[in-house]
């Protein structure tokens, strides 16, 4: 009997491999998005959905379930059947930042109730400053902050937010700058107060800041990336002065924990092929987005690595969520 089992094992593995290649959707795929239409998460989902329909003819529906910082959608995803027909967008702030910031209110067990499928796109963060700021480069900013401890303020979208962690990361890597945190209830009022000169700096997605910068309301001091963004290739790179400051705000695809491995692999291929389609290059570039295309294992490892980084930042900056 034992020998017969050994002989059968390769056949079982071959069958599993065949299923991974053969699984195709027989009904519409729904992508749950926890943020409003027009935002980065929504755009990533819709670009993928439209491309999948064009490439394969599969029907893909984007369903916006907003609220609770995007967690209403993830909670609904966790409760969905593991049949491959319900997936959802998970972002860095939810999956890597929130879990390591003390006080974060997360209404589900991300690791036990969800499973990573693939990482879709990323957008680099950038540091904006008020137009009359007495510093025009990162070295000048660091020198000014060191000479004026506790006098340089930074805005964020709330306690424990990605924006706050980005500023605290900069402060730590620049030698322990003493900055003043000014939390807001969203990105729009935070950026508006930088433009009004009431706050000195703000970390945000470059795609959400470039319009204000080109309108002369704020100045982008540097891009937190290792290479230029097609959206604004002229921006100086923050990593040239502070190498660790590579902050790619990513948007990935998640599934319910019960999702079988073969279906997960098939979905990952479908979505990665869609987001990497050369026909999307210009569309993504206009939004400051770049394809990442990590499969299930690589995406899971990336989440774990990012959690380690943000946990360290949160501890160093004594950051707590609201």
């Amino acid at each position: 009997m034992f020998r017969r089992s050994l002989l059968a094992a390769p056949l079982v593995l071959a069958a599993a491999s065949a299923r991974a290649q053969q699984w195709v959707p027989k009904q519409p795929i729904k992508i749950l998005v926890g943020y409003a239409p027009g935002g980065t998460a929504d755009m990533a989902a819709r670009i993928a959905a439209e491309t999948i329909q064009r490439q394969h003819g599969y029907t893909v529906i984007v369903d916006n379930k907003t609220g609770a910082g995007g967690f209403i959608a993830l909670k609904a995803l966790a409760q969905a059947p593991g049949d491959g027909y319900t997936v959802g967008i998970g972002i860095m702030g939810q999956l890597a930042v929130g879990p390591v910031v003390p006080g974060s209110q997360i209404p589900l067990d991300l690791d036990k109730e969800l499973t990573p499928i693939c990482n879709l796109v990323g957008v680099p963060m950038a540091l904006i400053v008020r137009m009359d700021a007495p510093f025009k480069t990162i070295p000048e900013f660091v020198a000014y902050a060191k000479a004026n401890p506790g006098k340089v303020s930074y805005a964020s979208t709330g306690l424990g937010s990605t924006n706050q962690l980005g500023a605290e990361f900069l402060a730590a890597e620049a030698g322990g700058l003493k900055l003043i945190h000014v939390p807001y209830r969203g990105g729009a009022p935070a950026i508006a107060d930088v433009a009004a000169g009431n706050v000195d700096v703000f970390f945000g997605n470059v795609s959400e800041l470039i319009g204000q910068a080109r309108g002369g309301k704020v100045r982008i001091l540097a891009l937190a990336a290792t290479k230029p963004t097609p959206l604004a290739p002229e921006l100086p790179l923050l990593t040239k002065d502070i190498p660790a400051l590579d902050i790619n705000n990513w948007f990935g695809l998640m599934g319910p924990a019960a999702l079988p491995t073969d279906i997960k692999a098939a979905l990952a291929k479908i979505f990665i092929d869609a987001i990497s389609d050369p026909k999307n290059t210009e569309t993504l570039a206009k939004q400051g987005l770049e394809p990442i295309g990590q499969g299930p294992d690589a995406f899971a490892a990336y989440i774990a690595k990012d959690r380690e980084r943000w946990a360290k930042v949160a501890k160093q900056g004594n950051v707590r969520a609201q």
Side-chain angles (χ1 to χ4, degrees):
M1 179 65 72
F2 180 66
R3 183 172 180 275
R4 186 179 301 170
S5 298
L6 289 177
L7 292 173
L11 298 177
V12 173
L13 292 174
S17 177
R19 287 199 307 272
Q21 295 174 357
Q22 293 173 1
W23 186 87
V24 295
K26 303 297 185 183
Q27 63 188 61
I29 297 173
K30 181 186 295 184
I31 308 175
L32 302 181
V33 179
Y35 303 93
T40 306
D42 178 73
M43 285 189 290
R46 292 184 188 278
I47 290 171
E50 291 167 6
T51 306
I52 290 169
Q53 292 183 65
R54 171 168 51 79
Q55 289 179 334
H56 304 284
Y58 306 149
T59 299
V60 185
I61 302 166
V62 177
D63 184 3
N64 299 87
K65 291 184 176 295
T66 62
F71 281 111
I72 286 179
L74 289 189
K75 184 66 176 177
L77 175 62
Q79 297 170 346
D83 55 11
Y85 296 112
T86 305
V87 295
I89 299 294
I91 72 173
M92 182 179 77
Q94 293 173 306
L95 302 177
V97 176
V100 300
V101 174
S104 295
Q105 299 296 314
I106 300 177
L108 72 162
D109 189 318
L110 296 170
D111 299 326
K112 291 183 179 179
E113 297 183 60
L114 299 176
T115 186
I117 297 175
C118 60
N119 204 353
L120 293 172
V121 297
V123 55
M125 297 187 77
L127 184 70
I128 61 168
V129 304
R130 54 187 172 87
M131 290 300 292
D132 60 348
F135 35 81
K136 292 182 172 56
T137 65
I138 289 297
E140 289 179 359
F141 166 75
V142 172
Y144 183 87
K146 285 183 176 179
N148 297 273
K151 294 184 179 181
V152 176
S153 58
Y154 73 88
S156 83
T157 56
L159 296 171
S161 64
T162 302
N163 313 97
Q164 182 188 12
L165 269 290
E168 290 295 338
F169 191 23
L170 171 60
E173 292 295 324
L177 306 180
K178 303 299 182 183
L179 307 178
I180 300 298
H181 180 211
V182 184
Y184 292 81
R185 290 188 175 274
I191 297 168
D193 253 16
V194 176
N198 298 324
V199 188
D200 294 309
V201 302
F202 173 74
F203 246 123
N205 294 341
V206 66
S207 55
E208 298 168 3
L209 304 174
I210 194 67
Q212 296 279 345
R214 287 176 174 163
K217 296 181 179 180
V218 298
R219 185 168 65 250
I220 296 181
L221 207 60
L223 185 75
T226 58
K227 62 180 181 180
T229 172
L231 183 64
E234 74 281 2
L235 296 178
L237 300 179
L238 206 163
T239 50
K240 287 188 176 181
D241 297 298
I242 308 176
L245 262 291
D246 179 16
I247 310 177
N248 190 34
N249 201 355
W250 46 262
F251 301 78
L253 193 73
M254 304 293 289
L259 190 66
T261 301
D262 57 346
I263 297 179
K264 179 164 61 174
L267 283 168
K269 185 178 188 311
I270 291 169
F271 275 84
I272 289 174
D273 286 350
I275 211 69
S276 303
D277 189 322
K279 292 182 179 180
N280 290 327
T281 301
E282 184 177 351
T283 301
L284 292 172
K286 287 181 178 178
Q287 304 299 332
L289 300 172
E290 295 184 19
I292 298 178
Q294 295 169 325
D297 293 341
F299 185 24
Y302 191 67
I303 292 171
K305 185 177 180 181
D306 239 14
R307 284 184 186 177
E308 290 179 3
R309 171 168 69 165
W310 295 122
K312 181 180 178 181
V313 173
K315 184 176 181 180
Q316 288 175 330
N318 194 28
V319 175
R320 288 191 61 85
Q322 291 173 311

